[in-house]
Amino acid sequence: MEQLPYRATIAPMPEGVDRPLWSVMIPTYNCASYLRETLASVLAQAPGPELMQIEVVDDCSTQDDPAAVVKELGQGRVSFYQQPENVGYIKNFETCLQRSRGKLVHLLHGDDCVRDGFYRKLQKAFDEKPEIGVAFCRTLKMDEHGHWRDIEQLEEVESGILSNWLERIAEIQRISTPSIVVRREVYEKLGGFDRRISCWGEDWEMWVRIAAQYPVWYEVEPLAIRRKHSTSLTGRTIRAGKNIQDVRKAIAIVKNYLPENKADRLSKTASKNYALYALTSARQFTHLGDISAAMNQIREALLCSYSLKVILSSLKLLTYVLYVAMRSVLRPKHTRSSV
């Protein structure tokens, strides 16, 4: 596939260089409080350095000291690289991929974890099916306190190469980043994450891009854990609806990877699915009393899809949002009685 200016080039490793099988690349930014748990989950099942590179790549954190965590827990086994200035998470991901040396690359966010058996079982998939480009597993979800809250739905009842996967992943994001391992040669061929998507959906675009080129393996056992923060909705970009704006960009990009006779249908389905996702976010914002953010998500939902379901759901939700807003305005103000 042609290398494009909005995708980082991932150069092949030079001939004759000794390479480990694995590269576990851990991007971080102001998450040192969780990094200890992340590193512990990797080190508990890591083979020696000749088989696994483990490196933390920090995007110039300002609120904590990830280097100290790496030194304390890694004890020389984990390397550390810090950006000279904050470059943003897409470019930090690019640095992770460019610094990776292994044949299999696991991009593990600095607040996520893996369970025992993750590397062993996914390595077995690549050994048994050398034609696959990636392998991923089912994922558990935990909160910021480390409590498990949910589990992703099963994609198949048995582990193996997924059937009809391109169409399924093209309709909505179905992969959590900590759960997926990619052959480095795939990144070398397809390039890094798309810089045109700056807020949300860059991973989905990548997984669809790969699915259009390679078979994908699925492991039914939940071996990865994604941390979902209670404050994940409160970010400025999401409150402004930038996440759905980026999704619309991603849908347009992804359409080019799809079979011509299915591209329109799959793109419309994806647009409807993400519009409904935006409406779910709008309900959550409404419950938080953030009417402005709720209205932004409703607006973006309607810009994303004009399907009848989206329009009717938007009208119903808009009525509720306006009711909540009016109730807040008309609620009696409690004043302190004068003495």
Side-chain angles (χ1 to χ4, degrees), residues 24 26 37-46 52 54 108 114 119:
V24 182
I26 304 175
E37 187 177 356
T38 301
L39 285 175
S41 74
V42 175
L43 291 168
Q45 54 187 306
M52 179 178 285
I54 307 172
L108 178 64
V114 287
Y119 297 104

Side-chain angles (χ1 to χ4, degrees), residues 279-325:
L279 294 179
T280 297
S281 296
R283 290 187 193 93
Q284 294 174 324
F285 278 126
T286 304
H287 294 153
L288 292 171
D290 194 336
I291 303 304
S292 174
M295 294 295 288
N296 287 337
Q297 290 290 315
I298 293 172
R299 180 195 69 233
E300 294 303 326
L302 290 170
L303 290 172
C304 204
S305 173
Y306 299 119
S307 75
L308 182 60
K309 183 175 182 180
V310 170
I311 292 172
L312 292 177
S313 297
S314 297
L315 290 173
K316 182 178 179 181
L317 180 57
L318 185 58
T319 301
Y320 175 62
V321 171
L322 293 175
Y323 164 74
V324 172

Side-chain angles (χ1 to χ4, degrees), residues 53-125:
Q53 170 194 11
I54 307 172
E55 181 164 310
V56 171
V57 179
D58 183 64
D59 193 15
C60 200
S61 290
T62 58
Q63 299 176 11
D64 53 34
D65 188 0
V69 176
V70 171
K71 183 178 180 180
E72 174 196 343
L73 203 65
Q75 298 183 359
R77 176 66 180 87
V78 179
S79 55
F80 180 77
Y81 175 84
Q82 187 170 60
Q83 303 283 5
E85 61 182 8
N86 182 261
V87 297
Y89 74 97
I90 294 290
K91 288 190 176 180
N92 203 41
F93 290 174
E94 293 173 1
T95 301
C96 286
L97 300 182
Q98 290 164 339
R99 291 180 62 84
S100 67
R101 296 181 286 106
K103 297 175 182 178
L104 304 175
V105 179
H106 182 211
L107 197 62
L108 178 64
H109 292 184
D111 56 355
D112 295 329
C113 299
V114 287
R115 302 179 69 203
D116 183 52
F118 178 89
Y119 297 104
R120 183 179 69 254
K121 290 204 171 184
L122 292 191
Q123 179 181 334
K124 183 180 178 183

Side-chain angles (χ1 to χ4, degrees), residues 188-335:
E188 293 167 9
K189 177 181 178 181
L190 303 184
F193 292 89
D194 198 307
R195 296 173 188 150
R196 292 173 292 178
I197 308 169
S198 59
C199 169
W200 206 73
E202 79 293 331
D203 52 348
W204 177 60
E205 184 275 334
M206 174 65 82
W207 312 147
V208 180
R209 198 193 323 164
I210 293 174
Q213 300 281 326
Y214 296 90
V216 174
W217 177 280
Y218 176 65
E219 167 59 50
V220 298
E221 188 175 348
L223 297 171
I225 307 173
R226 179 169 69 90
R227 193 182 302 273
K228 186 173 183 179
H229 300 270
S230 60
T231 57
S232 60
L233 267 182
T234 60
R236 180 167 52 87
T237 55
I238 295 179
R239 291 187 63 256
K242 182 69 166 60
N243 58 331
I244 305 303
Q245 293 172 21
D246 265 9
V247 161
R248 293 206 308 274
K249 290 181 189 177
I251 291 171
I253 294 168
V254 159
K255 187 175 181 179
N256 297 313
Y257 309 149
L258 306 176
E260 189 174 343
N261 62 335
K262 299 177 181 179
D264 285 339
R265 173 178 61 82
L266 293 172
S267 294
K268 287 180 181 178
T269 300
S271 296
K272 182 178 75 172
N273 287 338
Y274 281 113
L276 294 173
Y277 176 90
L279 294 179
T280 297
S281 296
R283 290 187 193 93
Q284 294 174 324
F285 278 126
T286 304
H287 294 153
L288 292 171
D290 194 336
I291 303 304
S292 174
M295 294 295 288
N296 287 337
Q297 290 290 315
I298 293 172
R299 180 195 69 233
E300 294 303 326
L302 290 170
L303 290 172
C304 204
S305 173
Y306 299 119
S307 75
L308 182 60
K309 183 175 182 180
V310 170
I311 292 172
L312 292 177
S313 297
S314 297
L315 290 173
K316 182 178 179 181
L317 180 57
L318 185 58
T319 301
Y320 175 62
V321 171
L322 293 175
Y323 164 74
V324 172
M326 290 300 296
R327 187 178 64 180
S328 175
V329 170
L330 298 175
R331 181 179 298 141
K333 300 292 189 296
H334 296 287
T335 59

Side-chain angles (χ1 to χ4, degrees), residues 142-167:
M142 66 179 171
D143 62 21
E144 61 263 50
H145 306 296
H147 302 306
W148 295 359
R149 294 297 187 186
D150 197 5
I151 186 170
E152 290 181 346
Q153 68 179 32
L154 275 169
E155 296 295 344
E156 298 284 355
V157 295
E158 294 183 356
S159 300
I161 293 178
L162 290 162
S163 60
N164 200 32
W165 180 243
L166 177 58
E167 291 190 30

